[in-house]
PDB file of all heavy atoms in Angstrom:
ATOM      1  N   ALA A  27      -6.485 -20.126 -16.567  1.00 84.00           N
ATOM      2  CA  ALA A  27      -6.983 -20.176 -18.001  1.00 84.00           C
ATOM      3  C   ALA A  27      -6.830 -21.599 -18.587  1.00 84.00           C
ATOM      4  O   ALA A  27      -7.245 -21.807 -19.619  1.00 84.00           O
ATOM      5  CB  ALA A  27      -6.384 -19.136 -18.779  1.00 84.00           C
ATOM      6  N   CYS A  29      -3.861 -23.005 -19.080  1.00 91.00           N
ATOM      7  CA  CYS A  29      -2.732 -22.956 -19.950  1.00 91.00           C
ATOM      8  C   CYS A  29      -1.366 -23.127 -19.126  1.00 91.00           C
ATOM      9  O   CYS A  29      -0.339 -22.564 -19.534  1.00 91.00           O
ATOM     10  CB  CYS A  29      -2.644 -21.701 -20.735  1.00 91.00           C
ATOM     11  SG  CYS A  29      -4.022 -21.380 -21.937  1.00 91.00           S
ATOM     12  N   MET A  31       1.065 -25.035 -19.134  1.00 92.00           N
ATOM     13  CA  MET A  31       2.000 -26.077 -19.620  1.00 92.00           C
ATOM     14  C   MET A  31       3.409 -25.768 -19.221  1.00 92.00           C
ATOM     15  O   MET A  31       3.820 -24.594 -19.030  1.00 92.00           O
ATOM     16  CB  MET A  31       1.957 -25.999 -21.128  1.00 92.00           C
ATOM     17  CG  MET A  31       0.640 -26.411 -21.788  1.00 92.00           C
ATOM     18  SD  MET A  31      -0.505 -25.125 -21.878  1.00 92.00           S
ATOM     19  CE  MET A  31      -1.790 -25.865 -22.869  1.00 92.00           C
ATOM     20  N   ARG A  35       6.506 -21.604 -24.758  1.00 92.00           N
ATOM     21  CA  ARG A  35       5.931 -21.425 -26.115  1.00 92.00           C
ATOM     22  C   ARG A  35       4.585 -22.053 -26.127  1.00 92.00           C
ATOM     23  O   ARG A  35       3.633 -21.423 -26.647  1.00 92.00           O
ATOM     24  CB  ARG A  35       6.852 -21.968 -27.231  1.00 92.00           C
ATOM     25  CG  ARG A  35       8.136 -21.191 -27.344  1.00 92.00           C
ATOM     26  CD  ARG A  35       8.905 -21.764 -28.516  1.00 92.00           C
ATOM     27  NE  ARG A  35      10.192 -21.065 -28.772  1.00 92.00           N
ATOM     28  CZ  ARG A  35      10.267 -19.979 -29.397  1.00 92.00           C
ATOM     29  NH1 ARG A  35       9.279 -19.345 -29.925  1.00 92.00           N
ATOM     30  NH2 ARG A  35      11.442 -19.307 -29.588  1.00 92.00           N
ATOM     31  N   ALA A  36       4.455 -23.197 -25.535  1.00 94.00           N
ATOM     32  CA  ALA A  36       3.117 -23.786 -25.599  1.00 94.00           C
ATOM     33  C   ALA A  36       2.082 -23.104 -24.679  1.00 94.00           C
ATOM     34  O   ALA A  36       0.939 -22.873 -25.013  1.00 94.00           O
ATOM     35  CB  ALA A  36       3.151 -25.326 -24.961  1.00 94.00           C
ATOM     36  N   ARG A  37       2.538 -22.394 -23.592  1.00 92.00           N
ATOM     37  CA  ARG A  37       1.752 -21.598 -22.836  1.00 92.00           C
ATOM     38  C   ARG A  37       1.290 -20.385 -23.535  1.00 92.00           C
ATOM     39  O   ARG A  37       0.209 -19.948 -23.361  1.00 92.00           O
ATOM     40  CB  ARG A  37       2.545 -21.323 -21.523  1.00 92.00           C
ATOM     41  CG  ARG A  37       1.686 -21.026 -20.274  1.00 92.00           C
ATOM     42  CD  ARG A  37       2.754 -20.763 -19.088  1.00 92.00           C
ATOM     43  NE  ARG A  37       3.772 -21.781 -18.937  1.00 92.00           N
ATOM     44  CZ  ARG A  37       4.879 -21.579 -18.249  1.00 92.00           C
ATOM     45  NH1 ARG A  37       5.195 -20.331 -17.912  1.00 92.00           N
ATOM     46  NH2 ARG A  37       5.873 -22.455 -18.147  1.00 92.00           N
ATOM     47  N   LEU A  38       2.193 -19.804 -24.249  1.00 92.00           N
ATOM     48  CA  LEU A  38       1.785 -18.640 -25.007  1.00 92.00           C
ATOM     49  C   LEU A  38       0.836 -18.972 -26.041  1.00 92.00           C
ATOM     50  O   LEU A  38      -0.092 -18.145 -26.292  1.00 92.00           O
ATOM     51  CB  LEU A  38       3.139 -18.090 -25.668  1.00 92.00           C
ATOM     52  CG  LEU A  38       2.975 -16.793 -26.431  1.00 92.00           C
ATOM     53  CD1 LEU A  38       2.337 -15.682 -25.466  1.00 92.00           C
ATOM     54  CD2 LEU A  38       4.283 -16.293 -26.990  1.00 92.00           C
ATOM     55  N   ARG A  39       1.083 -20.080 -26.829  1.00 94.00           N
ATOM     56  CA  ARG A  39       0.046 -20.426 -27.763  1.00 94.00           C
ATOM     57  C   ARG A  39      -1.320 -20.694 -27.267  1.00 94.00           C
ATOM     58  O   ARG A  39      -2.325 -20.236 -27.864  1.00 94.00           O
ATOM     59  CB  ARG A  39       0.503 -21.741 -28.543  1.00 94.00           C
ATOM     60  CG  ARG A  39       1.648 -21.586 -29.575  1.00 94.00           C
ATOM     61  CD  ARG A  39       1.792 -22.787 -30.551  1.00 94.00           C
ATOM     62  NE  ARG A  39       2.144 -23.928 -29.716  1.00 94.00           N
ATOM     63  CZ  ARG A  39       3.377 -24.333 -29.470  1.00 94.00           C
ATOM     64  NH1 ARG A  39       4.426 -23.612 -29.872  1.00 94.00           N
ATOM     65  NH2 ARG A  39       3.584 -25.486 -28.854  1.00 94.00           N
ATOM     66  N   CYS A  40      -1.322 -21.298 -26.024  1.00 95.00           N
ATOM     67  CA  CYS A  40      -2.586 -21.601 -25.479  1.00 95.00           C
ATOM     68  C   CYS A  40      -3.265 -20.342 -25.070  1.00 95.00           C
ATOM     69  O   CYS A  40      -4.563 -20.131 -25.380  1.00 95.00           O
ATOM     70  CB  CYS A  40      -2.353 -22.463 -24.187  1.00 95.00           C
ATOM     71  SG  CYS A  40      -3.846 -22.790 -23.229  1.00 95.00           S
ATOM     72  N   LEU A  41      -2.602 -19.371 -24.525  1.00 91.00           N
ATOM     73  CA  LEU A  41      -3.209 -18.202 -24.025  1.00 91.00           C
ATOM     74  C   LEU A  41      -3.694 -17.305 -25.379  1.00 91.00           C
ATOM     75  O   LEU A  41      -4.815 -16.735 -25.315  1.00 91.00           O
ATOM     76  CB  LEU A  41      -2.246 -17.262 -23.330  1.00 91.00           C
ATOM     77  CG  LEU A  41      -1.977 -17.766 -21.929  1.00 91.00           C
ATOM     78  CD1 LEU A  41      -0.755 -16.917 -21.307  1.00 91.00           C
ATOM     79  CD2 LEU A  41      -3.281 -17.655 -21.062  1.00 91.00           C
ATOM     80  N   ARG A  42      -2.933 -17.342 -26.412  1.00 92.00           N
ATOM     81  CA  ARG A  42      -3.300 -16.552 -27.621  1.00 92.00           C
ATOM     82  C   ARG A  42      -4.535 -17.175 -28.246  1.00 92.00           C
ATOM     83  O   ARG A  42      -5.304 -16.531 -29.026  1.00 92.00           O
ATOM     84  CB  ARG A  42      -2.170 -16.591 -28.587  1.00 92.00           C
ATOM     85  CG  ARG A  42      -1.044 -15.516 -28.208  1.00 92.00           C
ATOM     86  CD  ARG A  42       0.087 -15.700 -29.236  1.00 92.00           C
ATOM     87  NE  ARG A  42       0.973 -14.566 -29.010  1.00 92.00           N
ATOM     88  CZ  ARG A  42       2.250 -14.475 -29.443  1.00 92.00           C
ATOM     89  NH1 ARG A  42       2.751 -15.423 -30.285  1.00 92.00           N
ATOM     90  NH2 ARG A  42       3.019 -13.432 -29.218  1.00 92.00           N
ATOM     91  N   ASN A  43      -4.710 -18.525 -28.067  1.00 93.00           N
ATOM     92  CA  ASN A  43      -5.972 -19.065 -28.645  1.00 93.00           C
ATOM     93  C   ASN A  43      -7.163 -18.875 -27.779  1.00 93.00           C
ATOM     94  O   ASN A  43      -8.307 -19.303 -28.203  1.00 93.00           O
ATOM     95  CB  ASN A  43      -5.588 -20.483 -28.924  1.00 93.00           C
ATOM     96  CG  ASN A  43      -4.696 -20.815 -30.064  1.00 93.00           C
ATOM     97  OD1 ASN A  43      -4.693 -19.992 -30.999  1.00 93.00           O
ATOM     98  ND2 ASN A  43      -3.935 -21.825 -29.979  1.00 93.00           N
ATOM     99  N   LYS A  44      -7.093 -18.391 -26.666  1.00 90.00           N
ATOM    100  CA  LYS A  44      -8.212 -18.171 -25.744  1.00 90.00           C
ATOM    101  C   LYS A  44      -9.052 -16.941 -26.333  1.00 90.00           C
ATOM    102  O   LYS A  44      -8.469 -15.984 -26.774  1.00 90.00           O
ATOM    103  CB  LYS A  44      -7.832 -17.913 -24.330  1.00 90.00           C
ATOM    104  CG  LYS A  44      -7.186 -19.131 -23.681  1.00 90.00           C
ATOM    105  CD  LYS A  44      -8.347 -20.170 -23.413  1.00 90.00           C
ATOM    106  CE  LYS A  44      -7.638 -21.358 -22.684  1.00 90.00           C
ATOM    107  NZ  LYS A  44      -8.720 -22.397 -22.259  1.00 90.00           N
ATOM    108  N   ASP A  45     -10.341 -16.956 -26.065  1.00 87.00           N
ATOM    109  CA  ASP A  45     -11.236 -15.947 -26.437  1.00 87.00           C
ATOM    110  C   ASP A  45     -11.073 -14.871 -25.359  1.00 87.00           C
ATOM    111  O   ASP A  45     -10.840 -15.037 -24.261  1.00 87.00           O
ATOM    112  CB  ASP A  45     -12.658 -16.445 -26.452  1.00 87.00           C
ATOM    113  CG  ASP A  45     -13.643 -15.347 -26.729  1.00 87.00           C
ATOM    114  OD1 ASP A  45     -13.718 -14.846 -27.953  1.00 87.00           O
ATOM    115  OD2 ASP A  45     -14.278 -14.720 -25.710  1.00 87.00           O
ATOM    116  N   ALA A  46     -11.001 -13.575 -25.766  1.00 80.00           N
ATOM    117  CA  ALA A  46     -10.857 -12.504 -24.854  1.00 80.00           C
ATOM    118  C   ALA A  46     -11.878 -12.483 -23.715  1.00 80.00           C
ATOM    119  O   ALA A  46     -11.586 -12.106 -22.646  1.00 80.00           O
ATOM    120  CB  ALA A  46     -10.785 -11.182 -25.677  1.00 80.00           C
ATOM    121  N   GLN A  47     -13.069 -12.638 -24.071  1.00 77.00           N
ATOM    122  CA  GLN A  47     -14.141 -12.629 -23.078  1.00 77.00           C
ATOM    123  C   GLN A  47     -13.846 -13.742 -22.002  1.00 77.00           C
ATOM    124  O   GLN A  47     -14.169 -13.532 -20.832  1.00 77.00           O
ATOM    125  CB  GLN A  47     -15.455 -12.802 -23.759  1.00 77.00           C
ATOM    126  CG  GLN A  47     -16.730 -12.762 -22.828  1.00 77.00           C
ATOM    127  CD  GLN A  47     -16.659 -11.335 -22.201  1.00 77.00           C
ATOM    128  OE1 GLN A  47     -16.429 -10.316 -22.889  1.00 77.00           O
ATOM    129  NE2 GLN A  47     -17.153 -11.221 -21.017  1.00 77.00           N
ATOM    130  N   GLU A  48     -13.351 -14.836 -22.531  1.00 80.00           N
ATOM    131  CA  GLU A  48     -13.127 -15.979 -21.477  1.00 80.00           C
ATOM    132  C   GLU A  48     -12.057 -15.588 -20.524  1.00 80.00           C
ATOM    133  O   GLU A  48     -12.129 -15.739 -19.338  1.00 80.00           O
ATOM    134  CB  GLU A  48     -12.571 -17.207 -22.240  1.00 80.00           C
ATOM    135  CG  GLU A  48     -12.375 -18.406 -21.335  1.00 80.00           C
ATOM    136  CD  GLU A  48     -11.780 -19.587 -22.139  1.00 80.00           C
ATOM    137  OE1 GLU A  48     -11.855 -19.457 -23.438  1.00 80.00           O
ATOM    138  OE2 GLU A  48     -11.398 -20.521 -21.522  1.00 80.00           O
ATOM    139  N   LEU A  49     -11.032 -14.818 -21.005  1.00 78.00           N
ATOM    140  CA  LEU A  49      -9.952 -14.370 -20.116  1.00 78.00           C
ATOM    141  C   LEU A  49     -10.561 -13.277 -19.161  1.00 78.00           C
ATOM    142  O   LEU A  49     -10.127 -13.278 -18.052  1.00 78.00           O
ATOM    143  CB  LEU A  49      -8.767 -13.843 -20.939  1.00 78.00           C
ATOM    144  CG  LEU A  49      -7.963 -14.956 -21.753  1.00 78.00           C
ATOM    145  CD1 LEU A  49      -6.958 -14.234 -22.639  1.00 78.00           C
ATOM    146  CD2 LEU A  49      -7.344 -15.981 -20.871  1.00 78.00           C
TER     147      LEU A  49
END
Side-chain angles (χ1 to χ4, degrees):
C29 295
M31 296 84 171
R35 290 182 180 276
R37 210 176 307 155
L38 182 60
R39 280 196 302 270
C40 177
L41 288 171
R42 283 178 169 168
N43 288 329
K44 291 287 181 178
D45 181 79
Q47 185 62 35
E48 181 183 352
L49 293 176

